[in-house]
Amino acid sequence: MKIGVFDSGVGGLSVLKKIKEKIDFADIIYYGDSLNSPYGSKSVEEIQKLCLEIGEFLIDNRVDIIVIACNTATAAALDTLRERFTSVPIIGVVQPGAAIAIKESKNRKIGVLSTPLTAKSRVYEKAIKTINSKYEVFQKGCELLCPMIERGWESSERNTELLKSYIEQLPNDIDTLVLGCTHYPLIREDIEKLIGNKKIIDPAEETAMQVLFELNKLALRTGFKKIKKDKIGIDYFVSGDIEMFRKVGERFLGEKLLNVYQPLIG
Ligand code: DGL
C-alpha cells in the first residue's frame, strides 16, 4: 500500500511523522510544493489548481489514499479533490483537528493559529460548530510564520516577540489552542513557552489515526495482507529548493532524508 501526503512545503512532515509512528505496512510518497509556498496568501482558485496537479501526480504514482497535510489546502480544495479523484479516500487535517479540540476544551473557547486564508475561510469554526454549536472559536491568521518556518526558523528574541504578537490577538481565556497550520508543530516548543497552561492541539495525531482507519477498511475490502515492514519506504518530491527542504526536514524529523527528488510538475 502507498500513502500520498502533500503540503505547500515542509509543514506536512508534522503529519508524515505521526503517520510513520502508527503505520508500518505502507510506503509513503510526500510532495512538498515549496516552489508555490506559501499557499496561505494565494487565492482559493490558485490553490485548487495546484492541488489538482499534485493530486494527479500522486494518483499517477498509484497511491491508495491522499492526505492533504495542509490546513490551507484542506480549506480551499478538499471538496475539489474529492470530486476529481473518486478512486481513493482523501483526508484533510481540519476535521480531525476540530474533533480533538472539542474533546480537549473544557470552557468551550478554542483559539486557532493559522495562515490568513485558513482564518478567513473560518473552516475550523464551521467544523467545530457543526459538531457542537456551543463552542466559541477564535482564529488568527499569521502571515509571516509559514514562510519563516519554510526557510528554517531560529528561536530568537525577535521571533518570540513576533509569535507573542499573534498569540496576544486571541482572547486570553481560551483554554485550547489549535496549531491550524501544519508548519507550526515545527516551532511547537516556542509556542508552548508563550501560552501558559492552555492545551495545544496538533491535528496531525488524529489525522494519522484516520489514515490508519481508512487503510484498515481498504485492506478488509481488498484482502490486502498488512505485513509489517522493517523500514517503510519514503520518497520525497520537492518542487522548490531541495537542499532547504532537506535541511529543515532533517532537523524536524531527526533523521536523514535520503530519497528527495525534483518532480516533473510544479
Ligand atoms: N502547512 C500549510 C497549512 O497547514 C501552510 C500553508 C502555506 O503554505 O501558507 O496551512
Side-chain angles (χ1 to χ4, degrees):
M1 278 183 168
K2 230 191 250 180
I3 306 169
V5 181
F6 79 88
D7 175 48
S8 64
V10 289
L13 294 179
S14 61
V15 180
L16 175 137
K17 189 174 184 176
K18 298 293 173 188
I19 291 176
K20 237 159 50 90
E21 282 170 17
K22 295 191 193 315
I23 301 173
D24 57 13
F25 56 86
D27 294 324
I28 301 177
I29 293 190
Y30 184 91
Y31 192 104
D33 193 11
S34 47
L35 185 69
N36 296 299
S37 171
Y39 280 7
S41 349
K42 289 193 160 39
S43 71
V44 168
E45 293 71 26
E46 280 174 299
I47 297 169
Q48 287 174 345
K49 188 169 170 283
L50 293 167
C51 291
L52 283 171
E53 281 171 10
I54 297 169
E56 300 242 325
F57 176 86
L58 294 173
I59 295 286
D60 285 350
N61 278 282
R62 303 190 178 291
V63 298
D64 298 287
I65 186 167
I66 294 178
V67 184
I68 311 177
C70 172
N71 292 265
T72 312
T74 302
L78 176 64
D79 293 342
T80 310
L81 289 177
R82 282 187 173 154
E83 270 163 35
R84 174 71 67 88
F85 306 110
T86 50
S87 61
V88 297
I90 300 179
I91 292 187
V93 279
V94 172
Q95 195 62 38
I100 292 300
I102 283 188
K103 243 195 212 159
E104 294 293 338
S105 172
K106 298 281 173 280
N107 73 358
R108 297 182 171 175
K109 289 179 200 275
I110 298 170
V112 183
L113 293 180
S114 70
T115 66
L117 188 142
T118 304
K120 213 170 113 208
S121 74
R122 295 166 64 205
V123 66
Y124 270 97
E125 188 182 342
K126 288 175 199 161
I128 288 171
K129 284 188 181 281
T130 303
I131 303 172
N132 188 330
S133 61
K134 296 208 175 76
Y135 283 73
E136 282 182 89
V137 182
F138 307 90
Q139 290 216 214
K140 176 67 199 148
C142 314
E143 190 162 13
L144 299 174
L145 294 187
C146 171
M148 289 172 78
I149 296 165
E150 198 61 34
R151 287 196 299 269
W153 170 277
E154 298 298 338
S155 301
S156 66
E157 215 170 293
R158 221 162 117 207
N159 288 353
T160 301
E161 281 310 312
L162 176 70
L163 266 183
K164 213 161 143 193
S165 71
Y166 286 132
I167 292 169
E168 276 171 1
Q169 291 178 60
L170 290 169
N172 198 29
D173 63 344
I174 54 165
D175 71 349
T176 304
L177 178 68
V178 179
L179 304 183
C181 169
T182 53
H183 280 70
Y184 301 168
L186 278 72
I187 58 165
R188 180 178 175 133
E189 283 176 17
D190 286 1
I191 296 174
E192 241 159 11
K193 283 183 201 144
L194 297 171
I195 59 160
N197 54 7
K198 300 184 202 329
K199 272 229 160 72
I200 287 200
I201 304 294
D202 173 1
E205 178 93 29
E206 185 62 15
T207 304
M209 289 301 292
Q210 283 206 8
V211 176
L212 178 59
F213 177 75
E214 288 295 334
L215 290 186
N216 281 339
K217 260 194 346 199
L218 194 66
L220 271 179
R221 208 170 63 229
T222 58
F224 174 86
K225 289 218 173 2
K226 296 188 303 173
I227 298 169
K228 179 179 174 356
K229 292 168 178 265
D230 285 338
K231 200 168 186 336
I232 62 165
I234 310 180
D235 286 334
Y236 298 91
F237 291 90
V238 179
S239 61
D241 183 340
I242 285 190
E243 281 323 309
M244 184 58 82
F245 178 88
R246 208 196 287 271
K247 189 179 125 209
V248 179
E250 288 183 350
R251 193 162 82 175
F252 175 65
L253 291 176
E255 64 185 33
K256 284 251 165 274
L257 303 192
L258 299 174
N259 310 317
V260 190
Y261 312 100
Q262 200 96 56
L264 290 175
I265 65 162

